[in-house]
């Protein structure tokens, strides 16, 4: 959830830390802070609010002797989002500073023990115990690395942590357990961040720390070890995206840029994976033998990825004939799940760091399941934990509300369903029909984006409404949930997505003239049933915003407003139909004056349970 950036090298200064910390602000933006090592001292600057607030620190004293520092942007867990609780946190001496992502679950017990040893606490955070634990180790005569590692052994929960000590200028200590940390290897400088997006401006050569690993950083390089101080061997990897990929590129918001990137990201999701001659998909990250022995699938995900998983359930059952269950990852591990032989767990996560999904994968594997990941971030924890899977290659997604990752996930699930389907007897002709349709999706996504002007006009008319309903059937039911979620996330309007047939079992009581209903009717196979649901809404005075397939005349005749998308086979409808729903949420949020890219109370990567 929070963002960490650290630097040691000849270019250290406030400007460098703040500039790169801004690239992580989407991970948390209720408070922030920097700590600079200047000579043999630390200089601290912490503030509530956002980095963009304009309250920047002045040039620090003794800047010509600055050797490096650590910085943090926070998404509050323990303690209110104020200056006192902002990171970095310091020990009693003020000469040791810590930044931390994650949750220390035993912090209360540790705090009480440390208080009995004479330590004084200034914040409400769980993080501050780390600083005092290291301080206690130093008091007892340990060197910095030993005190750091000993402190980590006492922590229960998750952490990505960075530490600087005034008495050890030129060094930063970092470690991870459940919260990502990436080291950047530069020329004469070393960097660290919780996301590689903060590193690409200075280096694309990185090392991903694994759980239970720590590192000592200096301008000359880095040394990694486990918590017993035994050295570990790491391989430097190359970041494939460049700086323009994490900049707005002339768009007013990252979210709009990412919506309009979808023709390319859809293409990236299937590029090189369509084997037309064989009528199947090439998924090189998954052992074919694993898929051949699948008897059922269990999808784990959260939020938007969970909605993609619901689409995946329909795809796997309808195209591959594999019984499939979808679970909220946060509920899975506590529900004593039944994992039968032949169960394949599919973990879906944009960041690949979602704590609940990662915990679910580990629980499933303990119970004997095979697991694959569908992730966007190369080298992410879920990708490495599963060991097998598929990257969606959507590129960095900066807007907190996921857009292009969602469509990429659905395309990959389509390929997976076709691939397993062919193994289980799907006719070649049927497979080719779907593969041809997938290859047409980027062009059709361009056509779908042409509705932007129409969507904006609809948004202006309905932006003042306090509530929305979204209804859909089959493949469009997950879209109803996703459309409602997007609207809630960025406009703060209450919205509810429901199966259209369930309308008459209770929710229809909400229908009245001021309650717009977004009717998803782009599927051909169930349109007649949707038209009946629309008549039920009209009979009660409700207003209809229809999402229809091109060429259909019946649904538009019943709606006050209609948005159309290109006609595609029903299983592919979610890829195109989600685009106008994303645009509708975006334009309503802009009209209401909301911060589209940084909606209140949210963060991009949910690395705490």
């Amino acid at each position: 959830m929070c963002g960490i950036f650290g630097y040691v090298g000849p270019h250290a200064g406030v400007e460098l830390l703040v500039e790169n910390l801004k690239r992580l602000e989407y991970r948390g933006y209720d408070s922030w802070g920097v700590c600079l090592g200047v000579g043999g001292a630390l200089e601290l600057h912490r503030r509530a609010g956002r980095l963009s607030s304009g309250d920047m620190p002045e040039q620090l004293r003794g800047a010509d002797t600055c050797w490096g520092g650590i910085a943090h942007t926070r998404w509050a867990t323990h303690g209110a989002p104020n200056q006192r609780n902002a990171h970095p946190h310091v020990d009693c001496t003020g000469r040791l500073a810590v930044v931390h992502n994650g949750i220390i679950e035993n912090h209360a017990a540790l705090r009480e023990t440390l208080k009995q040893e004479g330590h004084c606490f200034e914040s409400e955070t769980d993080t501050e115990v780390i600083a005092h634990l290291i301080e206690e180790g130093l008091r007892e005569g340990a060197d910095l690395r030993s005190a750091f590692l000993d402190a980590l052994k006492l922590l229960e929960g998750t952490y990505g942590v960075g530490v600087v000590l005034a008495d050890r200028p030129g060094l930063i200590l970092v470690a991870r357990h459940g919260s990502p940390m990436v080291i950047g290897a530069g020329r004469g400088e070393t960097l660290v961040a919780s996301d590689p997006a903060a590193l690409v401006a200075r280096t694309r050569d990185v090392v991903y720390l694994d759980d239970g690993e720590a590192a000592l950083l200096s301008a000359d390089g880095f040394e990694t070890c486990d918590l017993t101080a035994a050295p570990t061997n790491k391989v430097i990897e190359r970041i494939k995206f460049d700086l323009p990929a994490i900049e707005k590129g002339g768009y007013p918001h990252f979210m709009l840029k990412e919506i309009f990137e979808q023709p390319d990201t859809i293409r990236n999701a299937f590029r090189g994976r369509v084997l037309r001659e064989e009528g199947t998909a090439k998924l090189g990250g998954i052992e074919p033998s694993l898929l051949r022995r699948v008897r059922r699938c269990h999808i784990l995900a959260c939020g938007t990825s969970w909605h993609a998983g619901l689409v995946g359930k329909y795809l796997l059952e309808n195209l591959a004939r594999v019984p499939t269950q979808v679970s909220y990852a946060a509920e899975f591990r506590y529900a004593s799940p039944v994992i039968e032989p032949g169960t394949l767990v599919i973990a879906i996560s944009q960041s690949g760091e979602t704590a609940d999904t990662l915990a679910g994968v580990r629980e499933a594997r303990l119970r004997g399941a095979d697991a694959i990941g569908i992730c966007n971030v190369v080298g992410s924890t879920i990708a490495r934990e599963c060991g097998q899977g598929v990257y969606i290659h959507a590129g960095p997604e900066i807007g907190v509300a996921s857009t292009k990752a969602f469509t990429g996930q659905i395309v990959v699930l389509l390929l997976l369903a076709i691939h397993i389907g062919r193994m289980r007897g799907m006719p070649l002709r049927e497979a080719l029909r779907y593969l041809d349709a997938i290859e047409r999706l980027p062009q059709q996504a361009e056509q779908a984006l042409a509705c932007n002007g129409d969507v904006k006009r609809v948004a202006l008319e309905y932006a003042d409404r306090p509530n929305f309903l979204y209804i859909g059937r089959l493949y469009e039911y997950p879209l109803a949930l996703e459309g409602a979620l997007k609207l809630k996330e960025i406009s703060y309007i209450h919205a509810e997505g429901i199966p259209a047939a369930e309308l008459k079992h209770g929710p229809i009581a909400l229908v009245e003239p001021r309650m717009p209903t977004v009717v998803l009717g782009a599927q051909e196979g169930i349109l007649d049933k949707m038209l009946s649901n629309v008549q039920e809404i009209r009979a009660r005075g409700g207003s209809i915003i229809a999402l229809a397939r091109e060429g259909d005349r019946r649904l538009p005749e019943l709606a006050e407003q209609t948005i159309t998308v290109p006609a595609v086979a029903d299983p592919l409808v979610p890829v195109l139909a989600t685009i106008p729903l994303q645009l509708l949420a975006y334009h309503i949020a802009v009209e209401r004056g909301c911060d589209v890219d940084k909606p209140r109370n949210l963060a991009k990567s949910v690395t705490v349970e």
Side-chain angles (χ1 to χ4, degrees):
M1 309 271 293
C2 314
I4 287 175
F5 178 77
Y7 175 90
V8 56
H11 305 291
V14 173
E15 296 84 358
L16 185 145
L17 262 68
V18 169
E19 174 189 353
N20 290 284
L21 190 63
K22 284 180 178 179
R23 297 191 173 99
L24 297 177
E25 197 175 8
Y26 65 95
R27 297 177 66 96
Y29 36 88
D30 55 39
S31 60
W32 62 278
V34 297
C35 177
L36 269 290
V38 183
L42 300 181
E43 296 200 21
L44 199 68
H45 181 96
R46 301 185 299 179
R47 288 290 181 268
R50 301 184 181 182
L51 271 162
S52 54
S53 64
D55 182 19
M56 295 292 117
E58 298 179 359
Q59 186 66 39
L60 295 178
R61 298 182 298 276
D64 55 339
T65 62
C66 180
W67 51 263
I70 51 178
H72 188 272
T73 182
R74 182 176 185 240
W75 186 85
T77 55
H78 296 73
N82 54 35
Q83 182 171 333
R84 183 164 64 100
N85 291 324
H87 298 214
H89 291 288
V90 297
D91 67 344
C92 294
T93 70
R95 297 183 64 77
L96 183 145
V98 175
V99 291
H100 162 238
N101 293 347
I103 290 179
I104 307 303
E105 294 174 355
N106 61 334
H107 73 97
L110 292 173
R111 180 183 289 248
E112 287 306 310
T113 300
L114 287 163
K115 283 182 176 178
Q116 292 173 15
E117 297 293 333
H119 292 266
C120 297
F121 286 78
E122 296 184 355
S123 76
E124 303 169 83
T125 70
D126 55 333
T127 299
E128 193 179 350
V129 300
I130 302 173
H132 293 285
L133 284 172
I134 299 171
E135 178 191 8
E136 185 66 18
L138 294 173
R139 282 181 182 178
E140 295 173 358
D143 60 70
L144 177 58
R145 189 174 73 162
S146 297
F148 179 59
L149 297 178
D150 288 344
L152 297 178
K153 294 171 189 174
L154 298 174
L155 304 180
E156 297 174 6
T158 59
Y159 57 78
V161 62
V163 175
V164 291
L165 179 66
D167 300 328
R168 293 296 305 276
L171 296 179
I172 300 176
L173 282 81
V174 298
R176 73 155 285 172
H177 180 74
S179 192
M181 293 293 278
V182 187
I183 299 169
R187 295 184 178 180
E189 60 185 11
T190 305
L191 307 86
V192 67
S194 51
D195 189 311
L199 304 178
V200 291
R202 304 198 69 85
T203 183
R204 294 170 70 178
D205 293 328
V206 300
V207 164
Y208 297 89
L209 288 185
D210 291 314
D211 280 354
E213 283 189 318
L216 181 68
L217 315 182
S218 69
D220 297 327
F222 59 91
E223 300 173 2
T224 60
C225 64
D226 62 22
L227 297 191
T228 69
T232 58
N233 295 319
K234 307 298 293 183
V235 176
I236 292 179
E237 302 180 41
R238 186 80 172 165
I239 297 175
K240 294 184 178 179
F241 62 86
D242 54 18
L243 192 57
I246 57 172
E247 295 178 340
K248 291 181 183 176
Y251 287 89
H253 299 95
F254 281 110
M255 182 178 179
L256 188 62
K257 172 178 179 275
E258 289 156 9
I259 291 172
F260 273 83
E261 286 176 343
Q262 285 175 112
D264 289 331
T265 58
I266 289 168
R267 185 179 293 107
N268 290 341
F270 69 76
R271 189 194 304 274
R273 291 172 171 162
V274 174
L275 298 180
R276 200 178 187 287
E277 291 183 359
E278 301 174 34
T280 189
K282 179 183 179 181
L283 303 176
I286 307 175
E287 284 291 331
S289 60
L290 185 154
L291 298 181
R292 287 193 184 97
R293 63 177 181 261
V294 170
R295 296 177 59 184
R296 63 177 58 248
C297 292
H298 200 138
I299 296 173
L300 303 182
C302 303
T304 288
S305 295
W306 185 76
H307 298 155
L310 291 177
V311 176
K313 169 184 168 64
Y314 292 129
L315 294 171
L316 287 163
E317 292 187 340
N318 292 348
L319 304 187
R321 309 308 299 164
V322 179
T324 302
Q325 181 178 352
V326 186
S327 292
Y328 283 113
E331 297 293 316
F332 174 81
R333 67 184 296 211
Y334 300 109
S336 190
V338 176
I339 301 294
E340 298 177 345
T343 297
L344 175 66
V345 167
I346 303 171
I348 308 176
S349 168
Q350 186 283 135
S351 68
E353 304 292 349
T354 310
D356 291 316
T357 306
L358 177 60
V361 167
R362 290 171 173 165
E363 179 68 21
R365 294 186 70 187
L366 283 173
R367 293 174 179 263
D370 293 312
I372 64 172
I374 297 177
C375 302
N376 187 32
V377 180
V378 175
S380 57
T381 304
I382 290 173
R384 286 180 285 140
E385 184 78 22
C386 292
Q388 299 190 58
V390 187
Y391 289 117
I392 66 174
H393 298 306
E397 190 179 63
I398 306 301
V400 166
S402 182
T403 52
K404 62 180 181 176
F406 178 67
T407 48
Q409 289 165 349
I410 295 173
V411 171
V412 166
L413 287 163
L414 264 165
L415 295 173
L416 180 64
I418 293 168
H419 190 52
I420 298 177
R422 287 289 286 150
M423 291 178 171
R424 297 168 68 92
M426 175 188 283
L428 176 61
R429 179 177 295 181
E430 181 182 356
L432 290 175
R433 180 165 65 92
Y434 286 123
L435 291 173
D436 288 344
I438 288 172
E439 291 187 314
R440 291 193 294 269
L441 283 173
Q443 181 181 357
Q444 292 173 317
E446 292 277 7
Q447 296 167 6
L449 285 165
C451 75
N452 186 44
D454 293 335
V455 174
K456 185 174 182 179
R457 284 189 288 273
V458 174
L460 294 178
E461 180 173 345
Y462 290 93
D464 64 337
R465 304 299 174 89
N467 302 284
F468 273 70
L469 283 177
Y470 288 70
I471 64 170
R473 287 174 178 261
L474 196 60
Y475 290 105
E476 288 172 312
Y477 165 53
L479 287 191
L481 296 173
E482 175 62 11
L485 176 62
K486 284 290 156 287
L487 192 65
K488 285 183 282 194
E489 284 180 315
I490 63 172
S491 76
Y492 319 138
I493 292 173
H494 172 258
E496 186 175 351
I498 58 174
E502 284 295 302
L503 193 67
K504 56 185 173 289
H505 294 290
I508 201 167
L510 299 171
V511 172
E512 48 89 20
R514 287 281 296 170
M515 167 77 86
T517 301
V518 180
V519 175
L520 307 181
Q523 293 175 93
E524 189 174 32
I526 54 172
L527 181 57
D528 289 340
K529 296 295 183 183
M530 287 299 297
L531 294 175
S532 298
N533 297 133
V534 173
Q535 294 284 13
E536 294 165 0
I537 297 168
R538 284 176 57 84
R540 289 154 180 83
S543 59
I544 307 295
I545 303 170
L547 181 61
R549 63 194 288 122
E550 288 180 354
D552 173 42
R553 295 183 179 180
R554 292 184 293 168
L555 182 55
E557 288 176 354
L558 300 176
E560 281 73 28
Q561 302 286 348
T562 300
I563 303 161
T564 61
V565 293
V568 292
D570 286 358
L572 281 72
V573 163
V575 179
L576 299 182
T578 192
I579 291 174
L581 299 182
Q582 295 167 353
L583 289 169
L584 180 65
Y586 171 80
H587 287 299
I588 288 177
V590 170
E591 177 64 17
R592 290 167 63 90
C594 301
D595 190 335
V596 172
D597 287 334
K598 301 182 182 71
R600 70 187 181 202
N601 302 336
L602 300 181
K604 182 66 179 174
S605 179
V606 185
T607 58
V608 297
E609 290 191 64

